[in-house]
Amino acid sequence: LHKEYRRQRQMCIRDRLYSAPDAGRRHLCAMVGAGSVSYVVAVRTLCEFTAKVGDLDLRFTPAPTAQQGIAGHATVASRRGKYYEAEVALSGLYKQLRVRGRADGYDPGFNRVEEIKTFRGDLHAIPDNHRQLHWAQAKVYAWLLCQSRGLKEINVALVYFDIGTQKETMLVEKYPADVLEQYFDGLCERFVAWAEQETQHRGARDAALTGLAFPHAEFRPGQRHLAESVYKAALSGRHLMAQAPTGIGKTVATIFPLLKASPGQKLDKIFFLAAKTPGRGLALDALELIRAGKDKEDAVLPLRVLELVARDKACEHPDKACHGESCPLAQGFYDRLAAARDCLLYTSDAADDTP
């Protein structure tokens, strides 16, 4: 009985690995088409994705550790009055997007929400794009607080705390609630547009991966066994260490089953690490082969492939420092980022649709 169970399980794994069922594709499209998709995002993630502006500037790196940051927040909170509220949990809804997080503090006596940032050294060395991001987080928390407590206006404060000198620097601005709401809605609208686009892409990708066929007419000796082992490891969530001779097609036998298992296992990214440049080239060639399909009439697989290389190899201006005052590409980097990202994905998706 045990041998028969193992035989049937092996057949089931092979069927799932090499067949192209349509039921999963229809079910996924129905879920997306019914409008049942919702999103949850942290305030910090929302702001980092939608509110970064200005230059890329790597000259300033905050020195405090996570523990020092926690201690700094606690020190600031201890200096406030007895009605001061620390770590205020907040949540808000925009269309199908729920935004949530914890404001560092709220002082009801001054009607002031505080965003506390710890640092070490010269406060003026903090780049402007970092300050803009800090203000964005503070304003989002301010609106969520106005919404939850029915406030018509609120004082928004950035509190910079030097962990070396224990000195606070507070910057305060007053905002009406409706202005904060407009700002919040603008950030959310940009995020929702991106999230919906990504959901559609992932739906199309997962549907295609569910029906993915092996890119060659037949397997090489030993290649099928390796592919099945990788697939079973992906299904069970186990690690796999494999050793195979040269020439059996290890790269395709590794990437193909992982892609095949991705929809069922909710895998959104696969990393292929290569020790040397030739290995990276083999992986890129294998992915191009899998994307193109076995037959010419097959649609190109909507799969995004990103090659990561060392920064010194990718930099177009190695003689310049990585900030806006030196490098023309760093200048206004975040102002151009959204359009560049959209252009890249539009070009990639258009290429996927090309006959």
Side-chain angles (χ1 to χ4, degrees):
L1 289 177
H2 181 64
K3 289 182 178 180
E4 178 63 19
Y5 170 77
R6 291 184 61 185
R7 186 185 70 83
Q8 292 183 1
R9 177 175 172 78
Q10 187 74 8
M11 292 177 60
C12 177
I13 289 174
R14 289 186 178 182
D15 289 342
R16 292 176 66 182
L17 184 53
Y18 307 119
S19 63
D22 292 329
R25 182 183 300 117
R26 290 195 299 268
H27 179 62
L28 179 59
C29 290
M31 289 179 62
V32 175
S36 59
V37 179
S38 60
Y39 311 98
V40 178
V41 64
V43 170
R44 180 170 182 173
T45 302
L46 172 70
C47 294
E48 287 184 343
F49 187 81
T50 60
K52 280 187 175 181
V53 295
D55 298 348
L56 178 67
D57 194 332
L58 301 182
R59 290 176 295 182
F60 176 83
T61 302
T65 64
Q67 290 182 338
Q68 290 172 331
I70 294 173
H73 281 64
T75 300
V76 172
S78 67
R79 296 174 177 178
R80 301 296 186 259
K82 65 177 182 178
Y83 297 109
Y84 184 80
E85 303 174 37
E87 297 292 322
V88 183
L90 296 168
S91 177
L93 190 65
Y94 176 83
K95 295 183 177 179
Q96 69 269 44
L97 175 66
R98 179 164 295 281
V99 181
R100 61 189 185 189
R102 290 180 178 272
D104 289 331
Y106 175 66
D107 192 326
F110 294 97
N111 188 28
R112 184 178 67 214
V113 62
E114 296 182 352
E115 176 69 11
I116 303 171
K117 298 297 181 183
T118 57
F119 75 100
R120 184 194 297 274
D122 184 7
L123 178 62
H124 299 289
I126 300 178
D128 183 64
N129 65 323
H130 286 205
R131 290 180 183 271
Q132 293 294 330
L133 182 59
H134 300 163
W135 276 117
Q137 292 177 250
K139 288 159 70 174
V140 169
Y141 283 125
W143 161 244
L144 295 177
L145 198 59
C146 287
Q147 184 185 45
S148 66
R149 305 197 180 188
L151 304 175
K152 294 184 178 181
E153 63 179 15
I154 191 171
N155 293 305
V156 183
L158 277 182
V159 180
Y160 288 102
F161 180 76
D162 189 332
I163 63 170
T165 64
Q166 301 287 295
K167 178 183 177 181
E168 295 180 34
T169 301
M170 182 181 294
L171 309 176
V172 183
E173 294 184 3
K174 179 180 288 188
Y175 287 96
D178 58 344
V179 172
L180 294 171
E181 181 182 15
Q182 292 175 9
Y183 182 78
F184 174 80
D185 289 352
L187 298 185
C188 291
E189 185 61 35
R190 291 197 290 273
F191 188 90
V192 167
W194 172 264
E196 289 179 340
Q197 171 185 283
E198 287 300 283
T199 298
Q200 293 174 4
H201 162 74
R202 291 172 183 178
R205 179 203 62 195
D206 287 352
L209 290 178
T210 301
L212 184 64
F214 192 69
H216 296 297
E218 58 184 17
F219 288 86
R220 298 177 186 179
Q223 193 177 34
R224 180 189 289 271
H225 176 65
L226 176 59
E228 291 179 356
S229 299
V230 173
Y231 186 75
K232 288 188 286 187
L235 292 185
S236 62
R238 296 180 179 178
H239 296 162
L240 173 68
M241 181 178 291
Q243 182 178 1
T246 302
I248 72 165
K250 297 186 293 293
T251 306
V252 172
T254 302
I255 296 176
F256 168 74
L258 281 175
L259 292 174
K260 187 77 172 177
S262 294
Q265 300 306 113
K266 306 299 182 182
L267 302 179
D268 188 56
K269 296 180 181 66
I270 294 175
F271 289 86
F272 188 100
L273 308 182
K276 298 181 180 180
T277 302
R280 186 168 70 237
L282 290 174
L284 294 173
D285 292 343
L287 284 163
E288 186 60 31
L289 177 68
I290 294 172
R291 290 181 77 238
K294 180 170 58 177
D295 301 321
K296 293 183 178 180
E297 61 271 14
D298 291 343
V300 176
L301 180 67
L303 187 68
R304 295 173 183 164
V305 179
L306 178 64
E307 181 184 5
L308 299 177
V309 299
R311 188 173 64 183
D312 58 349
K313 294 183 179 180
C315 181
E316 296 190 16
H317 299 282
D319 58 321
K320 296 179 173 61
C322 198
H323 57 80
E325 297 176 8
S326 176
C327 177
L329 296 181
Q331 186 176 15
F333 175 86
Y334 291 111
D335 298 332
R336 303 189 304 272
L337 180 59
R341 184 168 50 218
D342 291 341
C343 180
L344 173 65
L345 296 184
Y346 174 78
T347 303
S348 175
D349 292 342
D352 291 342
D353 295 335
T354 302

